[in-house]
Every structure is written in structure tokens, then in C-alpha cells.
Amino acid sequence: MTTPSTTLATFAAQLRFTDIPDPVVRKTEDLLVDWFGSTVAGFGSRPVNSIARFALAMGPTDGPSEVINERRRSSPYAAAMANAAASHVAEQDDVHNGSVFHPATVVFPPALAVAQALGASGQDLITASVAGYEVGIRIGEFLGRSHYKVFHTTGTAGTVAAAVAVGHLLKLTPQQMQHAMGSAGTTAAGLWEFLRTAADSKQLHTAHAAGAGLMAAYLAQDGFTGAAQVLEGPQGMAAGMSSDADVARLTDRLGTRWATAETSFKYHASCRHTHPAADALLKVMQEHQLKPADLAQVTTHVHQGAIDVLGPVVNPATVHQSKFSMGTVLALVAQFGHAGLAEFDQHFLSDITRALRDRVSMVLDEEVDRAYPARWIGKVTVQTTDGRTLHGRVDEPKGDPGNTLSREEITAKALRLAAHSGGATPGQMQAAVDALWQVAQWPRVGALLDSL
């Protein structure tokens, strides 16, 4: 019987490099370089170090797969977990708008680790990653807005995406791929409750998704079976995790619509829900030559998802939690023209930041909410200290496909992230990035940093 799950599994198992249009290949290279920069940005982070210590303690002490920020090698499982945690902590990894899903942080870590273990080619890595992106994005869209209200889609849809990417590298048959998806789906998890107390769960979500997806694929290769319809079945993911699931989204133009190419890059180092309003505020300040002291009140007109995720963060206590505070992000943008890692680290609790933060509010906007998640419109109303009312609007935030980053900007971002974390020297980072731009020509996927 043909079901959406069998269709997805067959597509993922049978995808070939030659099936992927050249612009999608180039975009995947862009996404890979961007992910690598985000991974190195995680160097030295306390929760990332904790997960890496755990993964490496479980062993082995050596292996075929690179734990990037540790300059060590271990099993694919350990490397996938550690690298997935590292690439999500700086809030600089990519996002797909329509699925509200961060594909890179759960697809590339297990795919890279397994490709290194198998000696796969660069084209194999790209193809497996595209399979993971295409399936994961569609699952996120399928699960819908109600899912995201409680569940972190990157942890849930991401577990299946990781299984698909690894399963492709393992050359699973369509039936085996369906079993891998079934096992991944039944272990998928990730809840937003951590935001209320600034807990470390977000890094666990990505580490778990990468590791559990990898495990599901290897188990399927060994004959282990999983639910045939874990996505759309009567007791599957949608039944337990969504009230507005749309099964048609699972196979929407599969093989002709390349969702990978729709993925956005992050410009600001914060939750993506803050970016549209941040860019809209910047536009108002630039057009009217405003300074931070000119801002009496900033009202952001947002979609419900922004209120659900950002609303609980009223008084951020940590750098990471502050990245989910609309007021903090806009305060930094108003002061510095962007909200980068250095700005968060040095100024998220400064007197001026806190004063500006308290002048920012969120209100639900019907137009913005109706467009979301396909479009993330930014709208702000600014009351100035001299009594003016100004309005700003951005239809495509910086980093979206229609306002994307160039390869020069992606490279500069990666170098900037490495410099901030100290995870690699400028020379090491430049050499690694230069090599990654040529990934499609690699006969064998090797180490990115530990060989430099």
C-alpha cells in the first residue's frame, strides 16, 4: 500500500546526486558552510561541553568521526551528538520558515559523522543531506502550528530528518528507510518548557535528535523494524503532537519543489522570531536617523508563534535566554545596528539594554499571523520621545531566500563566529571554509578541523 510515509521513504532512499538541480547543490554547500561556522561558535559553551563530555565518556576514545570543537575523534554516534549540540547554541544556524525547523543542526552532524566513518564522497554527503532536509522540512510543515506551540520541531521532525540522512548514506532500501523513520519517530522529543527557567534543554534536543536518528538508521540496516506510518498513523506523531496536521504537506511536490533551497540563514544571533521585528526597527531608525534615546515605545506586531515562544521570557537571566527576549534583541539592534554574539555577551544586561527592553511590547497582528509561517513579516510601531509615531515594515528579513546572504557574507559570518568563540584560528577557519566550498569534488569526506 502506498502511503505518505512509503512515498517519503522511497524518495529518500532512491535520491541520487544527479537528481538534484545545480542551484540546490550550491545552496546545500552554502548551508553546510553556514552550519560549520555555527558549530565552531559553540566552542567553550558550558551545555555543549557537558554533552560532549558525556558522549566522549561513553566512548570510544578514538574512532573515525570528528568531534569538531574537541579536536578528537570517536564513534559516529558520539560525534553526531556533540556537533549537533555545538551548532545550535549560538542561535546562528539556519531555519526553514514554513516548517519553523532548523534543519542544519540535526542533518549535517550525523551525516558528516557517518560519511567520515564510511569514507563516503562529498557528493554522497550532499545527497544524504538534501534527503534529510526535504523529509524533515515536510514533516515540520505537516505537524503544523499547533505542534510548535508545545514541541520544538527541530527536536521532533529533526529526529526523523537525521535518520533519513544517515539511512541514505547506509544505502537503506525504501522498506528499511521506512523502518528507520518509524524508529526515529517513536523517539522524537523536545518541549519548549525549558525557556521559562533558562534550562539547557535546547542543546539536548539537537544532540538527541542527531543521535537517535543515527541509531534508528543503523538499527534498520540490521533488520530492526519500525512503525510503517509513524507520521500519519492513528497513533503516530501527528495524532499525539498536533491538532492541525495536514497530511498533504508530507509529499507536496516531492522531487520538484526543493524545500532545501527555501531555507533561510540567520543574520542576528537570536531566536528567528525576533528577526523580522529587529529588521523593521532598524529600517525605521535608519530612515528617520533615530538614536536609542529617541525610542519611547516600540510595539512589535507579530504572529502567534512569536508570542508562544518569546512570551515566557520576561526577565532573561542568561545570554542564551536573552536571545528569546524580543525586548533584549531590539534593544541591542537599536544600540549597535545588529544583535551579534559579542553584543549579547557584553551588553544583554547593561542598564541601557534593560531600559530599552522594557519599552518593547508584542501584540498579535492579524496580517502577520495569517502569513506565518510561509512568510515572516516584520512590523513595528515606534513612539519617539518627541511625540512622533513611526511605522516600519520588512517583508523578507535579512537571510531569507529573497534577501539571502552571499557566499562572501557566509564566509565572513563563519570567520566572525570562530573569532568570537576562539574555536579556531583565522587561518584554520579560512582553510576549512575554503575546503568546504569544494565539498562536491571531495572523493572522500575527511576531517574539517582536526587535520589542520
Side-chain angles (χ1 to χ4, degrees), residues 59-343:
T61 56
D62 195 13
S65 302
E66 178 186 16
V67 181
I68 291 172
N69 287 332
E70 301 293 324
R71 302 295 200 279
R72 290 177 57 184
R73 289 181 176 242
S74 186
S75 66
Y77 184 81
M81 284 191 68
N83 292 336
S87 58
H88 202 46
V89 72
E91 295 293 334
Q92 288 275 257
D93 49 311
D94 65 22
V95 62
H96 181 270
N97 287 347
S99 56
V100 201
F101 168 52
H102 301 277
T105 194
V106 288
V107 169
F108 288 129
L112 176 68
V114 172
Q116 289 173 336
L118 298 177
S121 70
Q123 291 188 2
D124 293 334
L125 174 61
I126 288 174
T127 308
S129 299
V130 170
Y133 266 70
E134 295 296 320
V135 171
I137 288 169
R138 284 175 170 81
I139 293 172
E141 292 176 330
F142 155 70
L143 290 171
R145 292 178 59 163
S146 66
H147 176 79
Y148 188 78
K149 187 177 181 69
V150 176
F151 292 95
H152 184 199
T153 307
T154 304
T156 54
T159 307
V160 186
V164 163
V166 174
H168 188 88
L169 286 164
L170 295 179
K171 304 188 187 306
L172 299 187
T173 66
Q175 185 178 31
Q176 288 174 320
M177 186 69 82
Q178 192 166 353
H179 288 312
M181 290 168 59
S183 292
T186 205
T187 60
L191 297 166
W192 282 117
E193 183 62 21
F194 75 91
L195 279 173
R196 296 182 190 278
T197 55
D200 297 329
S201 305
K202 204 162 190 267
Q203 282 64 66
L204 181 59
H205 293 175
T206 56
H208 170 77
L214 183 150
M215 176 178 67
Y218 273 89
L219 287 174
Q221 185 187 48
D222 196 49
F224 195 90
T225 62
Q229 290 182 271
V230 78
L231 304 173
E232 74 277 27
Q235 291 176 293
M237 289 179 71
M241 297 177 166
S242 175
S243 61
D244 65 342
D246 181 358
V247 73
R249 292 185 176 276
L250 286 174
T251 55
D252 175 35
R253 292 165 288 162
L254 190 64
T256 57
R257 169 213 172 197
W258 295 93
T260 305
E262 302 166 1
T263 307
S264 300
F265 301 100
K266 274 191 172 184
Y267 182 66
H268 305 293
S270 59
C271 175
R272 181 65 171 176
H273 292 297
T274 66
H275 291 208
D279 285 0
L281 177 61
L282 271 176
K283 184 176 181 181
V284 171
M285 294 187 71
Q286 290 166 357
E287 287 180 352
H288 297 275
Q289 298 183 319
L290 300 180
K291 300 204 172 353
D294 298 323
L295 304 177
Q297 181 67 39
V298 179
T299 303
T300 65
H301 304 268
V302 299
H303 50 264
Q304 184 62 47
I307 294 173
D308 292 340
V309 172
L310 307 177
V313 184
V314 178
N315 188 20
T318 67
V319 170
H320 190 258
Q321 191 184 33
S322 74
K323 296 181 178 190
F324 293 81
S325 162
M326 180 70 86
T328 301
V329 174
L330 266 61
L332 294 175
V333 163
Q335 293 173 76
F336 305 107
H338 65 286
L341 295 181
E343 286 71 31

Side-chain angles (χ1 to χ4, degrees), residues 358-388:
D358 294 339
R359 299 174 200 167
V360 176
S361 62
M362 292 187 292
V363 298
L364 183 66
D365 184 280
E366 183 180 347
E367 180 198 11
V368 174
D369 192 58
R370 189 169 54 247
Y372 172 83
R375 296 170 59 216
W376 294 41
I377 299 171
K379 292 169 66 175
V380 297
T381 299
V382 177
Q383 303 288 340
T384 65
T385 53
D386 61 5
R388 287 176 290 167

